[in-house]
Amino acid sequence: MLTLCAGRLLRLELRRNTMMWMVPPALLAFWLDTYRGSMALSPLWSSRTLILRQGAAVDDFAPFVVGAAAWIGGRDRRRGIGEQVEVTPLPRWAGRLTTWAATAGWTVGAYLACVGVLYGMIAWQGAAGSPPWWPVVVGAVALVACSAIGFAAGVLVPSRFTAPLAAIVTGLVLRQTLRSGGRYVLLSPIASPSYSLAPPKADAGVFYPYLPDLSLTQLLFLGGLAVTALGGLGVQAVCGRPGLRRLAAAVAAVGLASSGTAVALIGTARVEANGVVVPALHDAALDRPLGYTPVCGGTAIKVCLNPVYKAYLPTVATALDPVLREVAGLPGAPVRVDQVALSGRQPPLARATVTGEPPVAHLALDIGYYGAMWIGPEPAGKGAPGRCCTSQQMWTSVPRVTAEVLPPVAGVIVDRLVGHADPVQQAVLEGLLRAAGVPLDGMAVFARIDGTPIVLPQPGTPAYAAGGRFAALSSADRHAWLTAHLAALRSGHLTLERLP
């Protein structure tokens, strides 16, 4: 009988729930923020789900969810029918849970529909890679927790001001979370790329398996908050017999234990190159890199990328070709350029290192959120920094990739080849960069971003003039001179006068 009453109440609540009126503005916020931002990125699963993994969808829905849930939670008291409802055969705790379930159902249904449309469009456009599912589950549980907390606030403070205040406070808390750092902020489903200890990476799941450690810890924490709030709805004297209230208190205690466990687990977490590792939840098998056969292109020196990024291979190879032609075949020059995983909290658009024997250049490319931002000079070398284009437009344009990727990569490769310790090395470094078409006025910017030791001669100095002369030589003459004198150049036994 009680089950039948609860089922009828659930049907009634689904038809007249306030949350259904909050779905349209939440959908609009999702479309303006998460959907449009995601579709502007490169058509890769790792890139187009980056904004979702940062928690933007939760941020879009949460204020509407909390406000609607708080309004519904205080509805009976505001209308003065609390006493009539409390004497119904259905225990008050069960009635409250049924009303909350309708609110949570509208919330999760709208959220999953939005994510389904986003994932469907990404798949329909043939995105490379594989879709991440853990962030979707975390977002759904986060919104369930928001609805439970908002509903509990409405029940405890049944005022007409509770709902708007709860929505405003939720928005402010989320904004503060985005601007907060520290280990325990990792429990939040909202991750700022600027302040978080471990912001979502643009190449997650590409070079290494996606680590679920942080998602599992967040699920424990957020699920615990939801269970605590729902258990707290049943401890009041009006909620039923003492045994039922004790059961509600036990449910709340379980929720608190779950959240407390998550807090303890995140205290042991460590941030590694491929994500957040929680020792108690970690699977060591996920530390092994994913196997793949690289796709290669280029003429002078092969440029090899992960097959997920094969659509951008012609652009990247063409952008790097000027400097690779200058150094190809020289002793100590890279024999190959291999793409590697991104590292660091806020990686630059492009980063390179040269290691090994024979030398290999390792190239990291941020073809993701930051790839949609213009952080360097315009392709012509003029204009103030600003937003230029979508990530897809950025990474399919040879002039733009040349302006952004070539300078830091060329600086590392040429500096590793000739050095920068004395004026002669600096002159040759400058001459090779000029010959490759690298804009020297932007090298200082890239050096600060990447930390590469790029030292160029100052205009007006003899080394600067010598570098200009060296750049004016034909490519064959530069190559022949370097082949004959590179060992002496590296050892510092040459003078500026011996430069051609």
Side-chain angles (χ1 to χ4, degrees):
M1 181 64 181
L2 293 180
T3 302
L4 181 62
C5 291
R8 289 175 176 174
L9 179 60
L10 180 61
R11 290 196 297 271
L12 287 173
E13 289 292 350
L14 285 171
R15 291 202 302 267
R16 66 190 185 99
N17 195 275
T18 305
M19 186 59 208
M20 73 171 65
W21 303 108
M22 292 294 101
V23 168
L27 295 181
L28 179 61
F30 179 89
W31 179 74
L32 291 173
D33 183 23
T34 304
Y35 183 84
R36 292 181 67 206
S38 298
M39 298 307 289
L41 301 180
S42 301
L44 310 167
W45 279 105
S46 57
S47 295
R48 288 206 168 165
T49 60
L50 184 58
I51 295 178
L52 181 75
R53 287 186 280 127
Q54 290 171 354
V58 176
D59 192 19
D60 297 334
F61 273 81
F64 299 104
V65 173
V66 172
W71 184 261
I72 297 166
R75 180 184 57 195
D76 294 340
R77 290 293 182 182
R78 287 197 316 274
R79 294 178 178 177
I81 59 172
E83 294 181 355
Q84 291 92 323
V85 173
E86 290 166 4
V87 297
T88 56
L90 188 66
R92 195 69 205 104
W93 187 35
R96 288 174 175 176
L97 291 180
T98 304
T99 303
W100 165 80
T103 307
W106 275 103
T107 299
V108 175
Y111 167 77
L112 292 179
C114 288
V115 175
V117 170
L118 175 63
Y119 273 41
M121 286 299 297
I122 296 174
W124 181 70
Q125 293 183 1
S130 57
W133 297 108
W134 281 110
V136 179
V137 179
V138 171
V141 174
L143 292 178
V144 168
C146 287
S147 65
I149 293 171
F151 190 86
V155 170
L156 296 176
V157 188
S159 168
R160 67 184 64 185
F161 299 107
T162 301
L165 285 176
I168 292 172
V169 169
T170 299
L172 293 176
V173 169
L174 293 177
R175 296 277 76 73
Q176 183 60 37
T177 300
L178 283 173
R179 291 167 173 79
S180 299
R183 183 181 304 274
Y184 294 99
V185 179
L186 293 174
L187 292 171
S188 170
I190 311 294
S192 167
S194 300
Y195 298 95
S196 175
L197 287 176
K201 295 178 60 180
D203 61 355
V206 175
F207 294 93
Y208 290 87
Y210 186 88
L211 291 184
D213 301 22
L214 179 59
S215 295
L216 290 171
T217 309
Q218 290 173 329
L219 289 176
L220 276 175
F221 179 72
L222 297 169
L225 291 181
V227 172
T228 300
L230 297 177
L233 295 175
V235 298
Q236 293 176 311
V238 299
C239 292
R241 300 183 304 274
L244 190 61
R245 298 201 302 274
R246 285 193 291 271
L247 175 61
V251 169
V254 170
L256 285 175
S258 176
S259 296
T261 301
V263 172
L265 288 175
I266 207 66
T268 66
R270 61 181 186 271
V271 179
E272 297 190 352
N274 56 329
V276 178
V277 172
V278 180
L281 303 175
H282 186 60
D283 182 0
L286 299 178
D287 293 334
R288 293 192 291 268
L290 296 172
Y292 63 89
T293 301
V295 291
C296 301
T299 55
I301 296 175
K302 291 298 182 184
V303 177
C304 299
L305 302 184
N306 188 293
V308 170
Y309 302 103
K310 66 180 179 180
Y312 306 102
L313 176 61
T315 305
V316 174
T318 302
L320 297 181
D321 188 61
V323 71
L324 297 181
R325 282 200 316 267
E326 292 291 332
V327 302
L330 293 174
V335 297
R336 191 176 65 255
V337 178
D338 287 341
Q339 187 186 15
V340 296
L342 294 168
S343 61
R345 289 199 308 153
Q346 289 183 273
L349 203 64
R351 171 181 289 167
T353 57
V354 181
T355 60
E357 190 60 43
V360 175
H362 305 284
L363 176 65
L365 300 173
D366 187 357
I367 307 178
Y369 179 75
Y370 293 106
M373 297 297 179
W374 197 261
I375 59 174
E378 296 290 341
K382 298 179 180 179
R387 190 176 181 87
C388 79
C389 50
T390 66
S391 179
Q392 174 69 357
Q393 293 168 338
M394 162 75 196
W395 288 99
T396 54
S397 168
V398 171
R400 286 170 174 152
V401 174
T402 299
E404 290 295 330
V405 175
L406 180 60
V409 176
V412 171
I413 291 176
V414 177
D415 183 85
R416 171 73 155 67
L417 182 67
V418 304
H420 60 271
D422 59 43
V424 182
Q425 293 175 348
Q426 295 173 16
V428 174
L429 174 63
E430 181 201 6
L432 286 175
L433 293 177
R434 281 194 192 185
V438 178
L440 300 183
D441 56 349
M443 292 304 297
V445 175
F446 291 112
R448 285 198 302 271
I449 292 173
D450 195 23
T452 52
I454 301 172
V455 180
L456 297 175
Q458 295 298 316
T461 62
Y464 186 85
R469 294 197 311 272
F470 192 72
L473 298 174
S474 67
S475 179
D477 290 341
R478 280 193 303 273
H479 198 278
W481 187 91
L482 284 170
T483 302
H485 299 87
L486 189 56
L489 176 66
R490 287 174 178 165
S491 62
H493 294 158
L494 294 181
T495 62
L496 291 173
E497 290 72 19
R498 294 186 61 183
L499 284 181

